Amino acid sequence: MTNKKSFSDFSCTQEKENSSRGRSTAYEDYFLNIVEYLKNHDDEQITIKELVDKMNDSCGEQAYSSVYLKRKLKNHFKDDILITDISGKSSIVTLRDNATTILQNFYHRPKHQNSEDKNQAINLAAAKLIKRYIRSVETSKEYYPFPSDIASIDQNLQYVPDSLRLLMKTIFVEKDSKLKIASIGQAVMQASRPRILLTPLQLGLGIQLHHNFASRFLVSTIHSLGFCTSYSEIQRFESSAAISQGIDLPGDVSNSFIQFVADNVDHNIRTLDGNDTFHGMGLIAGITPGTMKTDAILRRDVSAEDIKSAARINIQYYKPQNDFMAKMSYSELEKIKTIDKTVRLDLLSLVVWPLKNPTPGWSGTMQMVHKGEYPGKSTVSFLPMIDMSATDMSCIYSTLTFVCNLATRYDISPVLTFDQPLYWKALTIVQNEQPNSQLKSLVLRLGGFHTEMSFLGSIGHIMSNSGIQEILELIYAPNAVSHILNGKAVARALRAHMLIDTALHCILTSDIFGIQIPGQEDDDLDQVNENRSEILHKAADLHTELFKTI
């Protein structure tokens, strides 16, 4: 018994084949439309997924898969297409002109042309070739450039295609024009592919202008001239960088000394009327030697809520138990038993100053005798703010807890610096904590500037009515002297006390050894040298030798 198909079955099969062939022909037309769209939008960053979605929108159903469309595009364009595959992301499609086609079009131009038309044809062919190499640059806007790439001239030169680099090197006349070639070359590339490229130097220049001048008008003007990125892109970078860092410290800090600093932050949100002023606690971390963020910054759309959630300090409400500040006493510092040669050098400098004038001051002396490697420039890392009054005890307690937790995370000693009012309140909190509290490990420091002010003010208070005010009024105005003595005018106070100290040592040296001080009336340097005693002669020689050996 044989199986035979009926006529109706055959007709259905024939209709299905014709329908299948019809869909294939229609899909081919839709594919050609995608090809034309790709040619007309070659300056945009187009992904395979976007092309698949556009084709599906045209035919109203599932047409080609991403894999099949990628294969069809490669078969259609051959070497004139570049598909960049990114792990976990949709492939990016870029068209590039074939160099052979450009040269063939140039050689098959009309032969009978005047010199002007010939030059125009040469320039057009050269421009197409250069643009072809610009399109061949593999790039992605998923991540922002590394800071090291932005700072490196060689890396920026490598970013520019060889043909464009050769063109500008031929045009420029300066011997060392690497930076200009990299800068102008990247500006040309950015103008050629504005939606795809994010050139390092243009981004770096825009960020630098924004940091130094905080002027949207300036950044937008430079951007309109084609030399830096847009203001909106800079804002996007800053938001992406903020969400990327969070509360982390940048780079490897295992070999660095970290000192946290906290102080009140005031910001006038409404600058016209001064209302709604922001008062909060600001935190920074000083890292020595400095470190830099090594991870790439993901380019993303970030909202204010995202930043708030990523960089938030939990508020710890403070409930005081006791008040031990009245009983607190400072332990006596241990005496330093090591011999510091710079102390002897300082004393000798003051003794022999009348005989070896001019001699460097204390700062200059330290520069001359210093030996060893420079630890490196420090960097400052900004940490989250607390939206509370900085003088609030709960705000200070939350700051102390946050610093201790962050120090524990990085296995470092928590060192925190406050100004004078906040330091006293922070010390009160630490003293009232339980012995097993993590805040007991905190090293609280009064800011160096406030320590200096307090020390200078104590000198002015102790030496009041001793004649120091009258001496200083020979150099400074009376109003300035009052600020010097209470420690407010720090720079002037330092110079004033150094001058008095040097003058007193000169007078004592003159009286002890019976020599004339240089600078007095009817000075005779020969007579001064004759009056130099043997001990002063030895002191001067020792001073010279110490400068050589230390």
Side-chain angles (χ1 to χ4, degrees):
M1 185 175 180
T2 58
N3 292 329
K4 295 183 180 180
K5 292 183 178 181
S6 65
F7 179 77
S8 60
D9 294 336
F10 177 79
S11 300
C12 291
T13 304
Q14 189 69 24
E15 288 177 0
K16 288 181 181 179
E17 292 178 355
N18 293 336
S19 176
S20 177
R21 286 196 297 268
R23 285 199 300 269
S24 300
T25 304
Y27 287 164
E28 189 67 25
D29 293 338
Y30 294 138
F31 172 73
L32 294 178
N33 291 336
I34 292 297
V35 169
E36 290 299 320
Y37 174 82
L38 191 58
K39 290 180 179 179
N40 296 329
H41 297 79
D42 60 343
D43 61 334
E44 297 182 8
Q45 184 168 331
I46 305 176
T47 63
I48 288 290
K49 183 179 183 304
E50 292 173 346
L51 295 178
V52 170
D53 294 340
K54 187 169 290 294
M55 189 172 181
N56 293 339
D57 293 339
S58 300
C59 63
E61 59 182 354
Q62 179 67 34
Y64 293 160
S65 65
S66 298
V67 177
Y68 186 71
L69 180 60
K70 187 187 301 185
R71 185 163 62 248
K72 288 278 291 183
L73 289 173
K74 288 183 177 179
N75 292 335
H76 181 85
F77 288 103
K78 306 296 182 184
D79 296 333
D80 297 340
I81 193 170
L82 178 67
I83 300 179
T84 306
D85 295 321
I86 302 175
S87 178
K89 302 292 182 180
S90 183
S91 302
I92 298 173
V93 184
T94 306
L95 290 182
R96 54 187 180 188
D97 294 332
N98 191 290
T100 304
T101 305
I102 296 173
L103 294 176
Q104 285 179 352
N105 293 335
F106 171 72
Y107 283 115
H108 289 86
R109 73 189 189 280
K111 299 299 181 182
H112 303 288
Q113 290 182 327
N114 56 35
S115 58
E116 185 65 25
D117 292 338
K118 185 177 180 180
N119 291 336
Q120 290 292 339
I122 294 174
N123 293 335
L124 181 60
K128 288 183 176 180
L129 284 172
I130 292 175
K131 189 172 183 179
R132 183 249 179 189
Y133 287 112
I134 293 176
R135 288 179 176 178
S136 301
V137 175
E138 296 186 11
T139 183
S140 173
K141 296 178 71 174
E142 185 179 6
Y143 289 93
Y144 285 104
F146 285 96
S148 57
D149 294 339
I150 298 177
S152 173
I153 297 180
D154 293 333
Q155 289 291 337
N156 284 286
L157 277 175
Q158 292 297 324
Y159 191 87
V160 181
D162 295 339
S163 56
L164 182 58
R165 201 186 317 155
L166 178 61
L167 172 65
M168 290 184 294
K169 187 176 181 181
T170 306
I171 295 175
F172 295 162
V173 297
E174 296 181 7
K175 293 183 178 180
D176 187 11
S177 56
K178 291 183 178 180
L179 184 58
K180 286 186 178 180
I181 291 175
S183 175
I184 298 177
Q186 291 186 21
V188 172
M189 295 173 65
Q190 186 71 62
S192 176
R193 303 175 69 187
R195 297 179 181 88
I196 299 177
L197 294 179
L198 188 61
T199 53
L201 281 181
Q202 292 212 323
L203 177 66
L205 178 60
I207 295 172
Q208 187 179 38
L209 291 174
H210 183 57
H211 282 183
N212 291 342
F213 303 103
S215 172
R216 179 171 185 169
F217 171 78
L218 178 61
V219 174
S220 299
T221 302
I222 302 298
H223 169 65
S224 64
L225 297 176
F227 292 110
C228 78
T229 190
S230 63
Y231 185 79
S232 59
E233 187 63 47
I234 294 173
Q235 288 184 313
R236 188 174 187 175
F237 167 81
E238 291 186 337
S239 300
S240 300
I243 200 72
S244 176
Q245 178 176 340
I247 60 174
D248 299 332
L249 298 177
D252 182 13
V253 298
S254 58
N255 296 322
S256 300
F257 171 74
I258 301 176
Q259 177 170 297
F260 299 94
V261 182
D263 200 359
N264 60 294
V265 177
D266 301 320
H267 177 65
N268 289 329
I269 299 176
R270 298 181 181 178
T271 56
L272 292 179
D273 55 12
N275 294 329
D276 292 343
T277 301
F278 172 80
H279 298 284
M281 177 75 81
L283 268 168
I284 62 173
I287 306 172
T288 307
T291 59
M292 294 184 64
K293 185 176 178 61
T294 55
D295 299 332
I297 297 176
L298 180 64
R299 185 173 178 265
R300 65 183 87 177
D301 293 324
V302 181
S303 64
E305 293 298 325
D306 295 333
I307 297 178
K308 286 172 61 178
S309 61
R312 177 177 295 171
I313 297 178
N314 295 326
I315 302 300
Q316 305 287 335
Y317 291 98
Y318 179 66
K319 297 180 180 179
Q321 302 295 330
N322 301 295
D323 186 7
F324 293 135
M325 291 302 292
K327 303 177 183 179
M328 188 185 67
S329 61
Y330 293 95
S331 59
E332 185 177 353
L333 295 176
E334 295 183 3
K335 294 183 178 179
I336 301 176
K337 297 180 181 180
T338 57
I339 299 176
D340 187 359
K341 295 182 180 179
T342 57
V343 175
R344 295 186 295 174
L345 184 61
D346 181 31
L347 180 60
L348 283 173
S349 299
L350 293 172
V351 170
V352 303
W353 187 86
L355 307 176
K356 293 178 66 88
N357 193 25
T359 56
W362 179 247
S363 177
T365 301
M366 291 296 98
Q367 292 289 335
M368 294 176 66
V369 302
H370 175 74
K371 290 184 179 181
E373 295 183 358
Y374 177 60
K377 183 179 179 181
S378 301
T379 56
V380 175
S381 178
F382 290 91
L383 297 172
M385 294 184 184
I386 300 178
D387 189 7
M388 293 179 65
S389 175
T391 57
D392 188 278
M393 295 296 284
S394 295
C395 179
I396 299 175
Y397 183 66
S398 302
T399 303
L400 299 178
T401 306
F402 171 78
V403 169
C404 287
N405 292 334
L406 194 61
T408 302
R409 175 183 169 188
Y410 285 95
D411 193 22
I412 58 177
S413 299
V415 182
L416 181 59
T417 299
F418 282 110
D419 61 2
Q420 200 165 14
L422 299 182
Y423 169 80
W424 183 256
K425 290 187 175 183
L427 194 60
T428 304
I429 294 175
V430 173
Q431 289 296 320
N432 285 278
E433 285 293 293
Q434 298 297 326
N436 59 349
S437 173
Q438 63 173 349
L439 298 188
K440 288 294 186 178
S441 64
L442 190 69
V443 180
L444 276 179
R445 295 184 67 247
L446 181 63
F449 186 72
H450 287 86
T451 303
E452 195 173 8
M453 289 174 59
S454 177
F455 181 74
L456 293 172
S458 64
I459 294 177
H461 177 73
I462 295 173
M463 298 297 294
S464 60
N465 300 323
S466 66
I468 188 174
Q469 181 173 354
E470 289 75 13
I471 294 176
L472 292 178
E473 287 180 356
L474 298 175
I475 308 172
Y476 298 100
N479 289 337
V481 172
S482 62
H483 292 294
I484 290 173
L485 295 178
N486 60 28
K488 299 297 182 182
V490 174
R492 292 179 177 179
L494 281 176
R495 181 173 180 268
H497 290 306
M498 288 293 185
L499 288 174
I500 294 176
D501 182 63
T502 303
L504 289 175
H505 275 86
C506 289
I507 294 173
L508 290 174
T509 303
S510 175
D511 290 343
I512 292 173
F513 300 104
I515 62 172
Q516 188 178 1
I517 301 175
Q520 294 178 345
E521 295 182 1
D522 301 327
D523 277 351
D524 187 353
L525 292 180
D526 295 334
Q527 184 66 30
V528 171
N529 292 329
E530 290 178 1
N531 292 337
R532 180 188 297 181
S533 65
E534 182 179 356
I535 188 172
L536 278 182
H537 182 75
K538 292 181 179 180
D541 293 340
L542 179 60
H543 179 269
T544 305
E545 290 298 325
L546 283 176
F547 261 107
K548 295 180 181 179
T549 58
I550 292 181

